[in-house]
Amino acid sequence: MSDIVLCKSPKKPIILGIESSCDETAAAVIRGRKLLSDEIISSAPVQALYGGVVPEIASRAHTDAIDEVVARALKSAGVKKEELDAVAVTYGAGLLGALLVGLSFAKAFSYGLGIPLIGVNHIRGHLAAAYLEDESLEPPFITLLASGGHTAILYAKSETEFEVLGSTLDDAAGEAFDKVARVLSLPYPGGPQVEALAREGSCSVPLPVMLKGEGDYHFSYSGLKTAVINYVHTKEQKHEEWSRADVACSFQHAALDILVKKTAEAAHEKGVKTVTAGGGVIANGYLREELAKMCAREGFKLVLPAKRHCTDNAAMIASEGLLRYRAGLFSPLSLNAEAYIPLG
Ligand code: KG4
Ligand code: ZN
């Protein structure tokens, strides 16, 4: 890597981001914090036929799509590959076969062009999505992370350092949405389906509020999920009428209200003025509204990524790539894909 040329455009580096950890093959180009292009080819419609992501299908779909998605991203950004300053790529966590497609492609780009490779932790990518939304966003701030694999409240001390204040003790919020979707016979991916159904219902089903003690930032979703399953089974066994929309609405409120409450507590405790969020569940309209109301009431500035930057995308990987580029955090070409990376 000795022939790498650093900082062709030091203040506003042009970075290609690549994401292939699950069922989206994505590529994006940024110049500084400005997003120049943002492309996704998704295998979700095929995965939906199987009721979830089949790893082998995901790997094959990435292999088919990666060339095209990167070419599209460069073309719509109006950037030649020789102009890139770095390539940032998700190296974990995720499906190994899927990750390896993006990672191998990024390594070849880095080696061929003599530019740095920046391995990005997918979750840090979700957290960095907010930087694309607001040029002036600066730590410290509190971030609510809610995705298919994680639910946590974090304190961002600097652009590259986070303290985990609390996290889920069992299921992640997105996982709970997906499981409840199955109980309600809704197709994959479940989160947006539950949200849509919830809009037609009222919150009339008594469900336990998930709290693991006041004064901490830990969550538990398995009790809530079990309560939904028990409610539905009991109604069916007794042949009683019940409303799927009311269950969806009641579950959504129980699952999300606690996140808003705990985020407010964390922001007050840390004395920050700004709240951000990231991860697929943050695309939920009810959660976005409740976060906005809470921040208006409590006097915090709220920076939410656009909905398309909450679910998996490459713009967030490029954004995290920029933070690491500025900090000089580059990766060797020996970087390996990781199925699991601890949050801390
Ligand atoms: O961040 P993400 O795209 O992938 C992971 O890194 O996990 O999150 C996917 C999760 C899924 O569980 C999905 O059901 C959930 O985010 N999700 C939603 C919504 N959109 C996606 N959950 C609730 N409401 C939504 N609108
Ligand atoms: Zn994700």
Side-chain angles (χ1 to χ4, degrees), residues 221-239:
Y221 280 100
S222 76
L224 177 60
K225 176 194 67 190
T226 309
V228 171
I229 293 170
N230 288 345
Y231 176 85
V232 171
H233 283 178
T234 308
K235 288 287 177 192
E236 288 187 340
Q237 272 168 1
K238 291 185 177 169
H239 302 290

Side-chain angles (χ1 to χ4, degrees), residues 122 126 147-149 174-175 177-178 189-192 195 279-281 283-284 310-312:
H122 180 83
H126 276 302
S147 71
E175 201 178 347
F177 267 88
D178 294 336
E195 181 186 357
V281 179
N284 183 285
C310 292
T311 44
D312 290 349

Side-chain angles (χ1 to χ4, degrees), residues 94-329:
L95 304 168
L96 277 181
L99 288 163
L100 281 170
V101 177
L103 183 57
S104 308
F105 192 97
K107 284 181 184 179
F109 243 63
S110 156
Y111 184 73
L113 295 168
I115 55 174
L117 176 73
I118 303 174
V120 170
N121 173 345
H122 180 83
I123 290 305
R124 282 184 174 257
H126 276 302
L127 302 174
Y131 284 102
L132 295 169
E133 217 48 48
D134 183 343
E135 291 259 343
S136 67
L137 177 62
E138 267 181 35
F141 50 78
I142 288 292
T143 298
L144 169 62
L145 167 67
S147 71
H150 291 90
T151 303
I153 292 184
L154 302 113
Y155 172 55
K157 295 185 216 174
S158 74
E159 289 186 350
T160 54
E161 288 171 303
F162 282 95
E163 183 188 330
V164 181
L165 299 180
S167 59
T168 181
L169 300 170
D170 37 56
D171 294 352
E175 201 178 347
F177 267 88
D178 294 336
K179 287 179 178 166
V180 165
R182 243 174 268 153
V183 176
L184 298 177
S185 310
L186 294 167
Y188 168 87
Q193 303 278 341
V194 172
E195 181 186 357
L197 185 60
R199 263 184 245 122
E200 295 162 26
S202 67
C203 293
S204 54
V205 179
L207 292 173
V209 178
M210 324 140 341
L211 261 186
K212 279 284 164 186
E214 287 287 343
D216 71 28
Y217 303 105
H218 294 298
F219 309 98
S220 166
Y221 280 100
S222 76
L224 177 60
K225 176 194 67 190
T226 309
V228 171
I229 293 170
N230 288 345
Y231 176 85
V232 171
H233 283 178
T234 308
K235 288 287 177 192
E236 288 187 340
Q237 272 168 1
K238 291 185 177 169
H239 302 290
E240 286 176 7
E241 292 265 310
W242 63 282
S243 153
R244 289 163 69 248
D246 288 357
V247 171
C249 183
S250 308
F251 162 76
Q252 178 168 271
H253 279 233
L256 301 180
D257 289 350
I258 188 74
L259 297 180
V260 178
K261 179 172 182 281
K262 291 286 170 182
T263 302
E265 282 175 21
H268 280 302
E269 187 190 316
K270 288 291 179 185
V272 299
K273 304 227 161 6
T274 306
V275 168
T276 76
V281 179
I282 308 298
N284 183 285
Y286 171 74
L287 177 58
R288 296 171 79 87
E289 280 165 24
E290 291 302 307
L291 280 171
K293 280 189 221 160
M294 178 278 284
C295 285
R297 194 172 59 236
E298 307 288 332
F300 304 128
K301 173 179 167 179
L302 177 65
V303 181
L304 285 181
K307 284 189 184 184
R308 72 177 194 287
H309 293 151
C310 292
T311 44
D312 290 349
N313 67 90
M316 68 183 198
I317 303 304
S319 178
E320 172 66 10
L322 173 65
L323 304 180
R324 301 186 84 72
Y325 183 96
R326 286 194 182 136
L329 297 169

